[in-house]
Amino acid sequence: MHNKTLAELAQGLESGDFSSVELTTHYLNRIKSLDDKTNAFITTTEEQALAQAKQADQLRSAGNASQLTGIPIAHKDIFCTEGVKTSCGSKMLDNFIAPYESTVTQKCNDAGLVMLGKTNMDEFAMGSTNESSFYGACHNPWDLEKIPGGSSGGSAAAVAARLAPIATGTDTGGSIRQPASMCNITGLKPTYGRVSRWGMIAFASSLDQAGPMAQTAEDAAMLLNTMAGLDLKDSTSMDQPVEDYTAGLNNGLEGLKIGLPKEYFAEGLNDSVKAAIEASIKELEKQGAILKEISLSTANLSVPAYYVIAPAEASANLSRFDGVRYGYRCEDPENLEDLYKRSRGEGFGDEVKRRIMIGAYALSAGYYDAYYKKAQQVRRLIKNDFANAFNEVDVIAGPTAPTTAFKLGEMTNDPVTMYLEDIFTLSVNLAGLPALTVPAGFADGMPTGLQLIGNYFQEAKLLNIGHKYQLATDWHKKTPEQFA
Ligand code: GLN
């Protein structure tokens, strides 16, 4: 049952092959017996899930079900879920029971999806390895000694290990796409503003975007149908009609112009990853796409620009965690200053502290122009670079990450090398564009992911290409042996 895609499971529920209670119980049992290995979940919500499943079955027998009614889902622990612990992977929020529901999870509830639990993540979504989680690292189902990628590593591992058929993730600089690539699943980062950020714990507000994580592009399209849409509670949410993202999945690729940035295939890209990505692009060419080499001359500027802008926004966003309002408070503070200092000092982990310090420094009066303003100017150049590219081509293709998953602990003392891992994903967030990662074969035994970048609101086109690719390949069907 757990190797079925979302589309197949929805079909199974519809034709009465199994009930939502049976399906939900199956996944809850898998989590119970297998999640010791992966640590993909921070919280499981068994009772609530079974109640939701029961209700879903009733709706279905009354003829009131939508397509996804009764399907289990895992939510990244960055989405506020009413009455359920919402930790954001941090000691700071270990005691936080969200008093309200995020728009994304509310939309999922309204569609009848059944929440299995909340998934592991890097603390406050800062990281590419999931190792900065207060709840311990999440392990890659393909090799338990390796990272699953991050920050949505728990969601990626849950889908890859078939502990959940679909999951939500968030992507500020690659956190949906990079773990999708490292765990052999499909992940979509939508256009900035396509999905509401309301109730999603903020990391870097001008970059954060939620999206679907699933086995296939078709499944991601079905989940995006549920997640997307204008939300007046998020002032950056876009008033753009939500199309049916499944409608054009089977469109042909003849004549599609795919740009291949020469900077994405240059030095620094692992040779075996490169070979896998090139082979996946060949498949698209076989289906009629036209390949064209392009240049994104600002490609090497995304890491420095992002690692100024994201920490700057984070330092402002995280100032609310002060030991007074909610979250962690230190024991026996001597005075107000001691309360602030120790609550934050004890509640935040090293990576979060590093970002707050970098951000506060970059925003300080004497350095604002030199760092923050400069980074914003570079951000504009990156955006222009993409705009020029999209005058020539329909989509851009390349690798998601320069390497496959590395060993746990390998980068913990080397943040800069870790930041460089984000080289192919960050510019997409800086420009606000949508991008899809699909499984693209294995390099030295570990999964790789092809990244497809589209112009604004071209999610349907990306999902169409991903789907056509998956009709011709079976990488996305491969499952890690111990979770088969
Ligand atoms: N790896 C990037 C960072 O550490 C991106 C994280 C994310 O997308 N949430 O900031």
Side-chain angles (χ1 to χ4, degrees):
M1 191 136 69
H2 50 267
N3 279 318
K4 288 197 192 322
T5 63
L6 169 61
E8 290 163 348
L9 291 175
Q11 191 55 48
L13 283 172
E14 174 67 20
S15 48
D17 298 347
F18 41 81
S19 68
S20 172
V21 169
E22 283 165 345
L23 188 61
T24 303
T25 307
H26 179 72
Y27 280 104
L28 288 170
N29 287 341
R30 280 184 69 79
I31 296 170
K32 253 186 247 162
S33 61
L34 294 168
D35 197 38
D36 280 358
K37 297 184 186 176
T38 46
N39 196 24
F41 284 84
I42 292 175
T43 304
T44 43
T45 47
E46 184 169 350
E47 248 174 68
Q48 183 178 327
L50 289 171
Q52 276 183 322
K54 227 187 208 158
Q55 206 191 351
D57 285 334
Q58 281 161 4
L59 282 172
R60 203 170 275 283
S61 50
N64 289 329
S66 71
Q67 195 184 26
L68 300 186
T69 302
I71 298 280
I73 186 169
H75 289 304
K76 184 175 182 179
D77 206 16
I78 197 168
F79 294 99
C80 285
T81 42
E82 191 177 352
V84 175
K85 174 164 132 176
T86 300
S87 74
C88 218
S90 181
K91 179 178 176 184
M92 183 57 89
L93 290 176
D94 183 47
N95 64 2
F96 177 59
I97 310 289
Y100 66 98
E101 194 76 28
S102 76
T103 296
V104 163
T105 50
Q106 186 62 55
K107 277 172 173 282
C108 290
N109 291 342
D110 292 346
L113 286 163
V114 172
M115 178 171 84
L116 296 169
K118 311 285 297 282
T119 57
N120 205 349
M121 53 181 286
D122 279 298
E123 186 179 9
F124 284 100
M126 298 172 190
S128 315
T129 67
N130 224 287
E131 291 168 294
S132 71
S133 169
F134 174 61
Y135 302 93
C138 175
H139 301 250
N140 192 314
W142 290 93
D143 179 345
L144 298 174
E145 309 272 287
K146 291 188 171 166
I147 59 149
S151 64
S152 314
S155 288
V159 174
R162 308 298 189 237
L163 305 181
I166 45 171
T168 50
T170 63
D171 191 312
T172 302
S175 280
I176 287 176
R177 291 161 285 157
Q178 185 254 21
S181 163
M182 291 185 167
C183 291
N184 201 46
I185 68 160
T186 303
L188 175 77
K189 182 249 169 226
T191 307
Y192 183 76
R194 174 71 299 183
V195 174
S196 170
R197 290 185 295 109
W198 197 76
M200 207 171 98
I201 294 170
F203 163 12
S205 307
S206 76
L207 302 160
D208 298 342
Q209 189 61 200
M213 302 178 80
Q215 288 179 39
T216 66
E218 181 181 24
D219 292 0
M222 289 167 73
L223 182 51
L224 184 63
N225 280 349
T226 300
M227 296 172 75
L230 173 68
D231 179 11
L232 296 176
K233 290 188 272 192
D234 170 2
S235 61
T236 58
S237 167
M238 296 286 281
D239 189 2
Q240 175 91 6
V242 180
E243 47 195 306
D244 175 1
Y245 293 102
T246 62
L249 286 174
N250 287 304
N251 292 348
L253 304 185
E254 301 80 20
L256 177 84
K257 280 188 239 142
I258 302 182
L260 307 175
K262 60 173 193 268
E263 295 81 0
Y264 284 23
F265 294 89
E267 212 187 317
L269 176 63
N270 170 287
D271 287 337
S272 319
V273 173
K274 186 175 176 188
I277 300 304
E278 283 175 345
S280 66
I281 292 167
K282 273 249 148 45
E283 172 55 42
L284 300 177
E285 189 181 29
K286 229 169 78 190
Q287 294 193 29
I290 301 159
L291 308 182
K292 186 171 187 271
E293 187 182 90
I294 59 167
S295 171
L296 291 172
S297 59
T298 56
N300 64 337
L301 298 178
S302 64
V303 174
Y306 173 91
Y307 279 99
V308 170
I309 293 169
E313 294 185 20
S315 74
N317 274 326
L318 270 60
S319 65
R320 73 192 66 174
F321 302 108
D322 56 4
V324 176
R325 289 166 244 228
Y326 62 108
Y328 179 80
R329 175 180 293 181
C330 68
E331 300 270 341
D332 306 321
E334 279 167 27
N335 51 42
L336 186 62
E337 196 176 322
D338 185 45
L339 169 82
Y340 288 152
K341 277 191 183 159
R342 281 203 293 120
S343 297
R344 287 169 70 80
E346 294 164 17
F348 289 135
D350 288 349
E351 184 60 28
V352 172
K353 286 179 192 160
R354 187 177 295 125
R355 306 272 178 125
I356 291 173
M357 286 192 285
I358 295 172
Y361 181 83
L363 289 177
S364 59
Y367 296 100
Y368 182 92
D369 282 352
Y371 293 107
Y372 186 71
K373 193 169 158 203
K374 184 63 86 192
Q376 291 289 20
Q377 288 166 334
V378 170
R379 182 177 193 171
R380 166 62 62 171
L381 296 178
I382 291 171
K383 196 169 179 274
N384 292 349
D385 223 8
F386 278 115
N388 290 333
F390 285 122
N391 284 331
E392 288 181 62
V393 296
D394 301 315
V395 293
I396 294 169
T400 302
T403 65
T404 57
F406 40 87
K407 281 235 152 44
L408 284 155
E410 203 173 304
M411 299 262 189
T412 19
N413 295 320
D414 191 356
V416 175
T417 309
M418 193 183 82
Y419 299 164
L420 286 169
E421 277 285 311
D422 299 335
I423 178 106
F424 302 131
T425 50
L426 299 175
S427 53
V428 165
N429 301 74
L430 289 166
L433 295 165
L436 176 75
T437 287
V438 289
F442 291 71
D444 308 321
M446 292 302 284
T448 68
L450 169 69
Q451 178 175 218
L452 298 160
I453 305 169
N455 211 341
Y456 299 102
F457 296 102
Q458 294 292 303
E459 284 83 0
K461 167 104 322 220
L462 298 177
L463 291 160
N464 163 216
I465 303 167
H467 181 65
K468 292 295 277 185
Y469 177 72
Q470 290 176 337
L471 287 177
T473 56
D474 63 0
W475 302 120
H476 60 287
K477 292 189 185 143
K478 304 234 179 288
T479 46
E481 228 165 79
Q482 34 183 335
F483 299 92

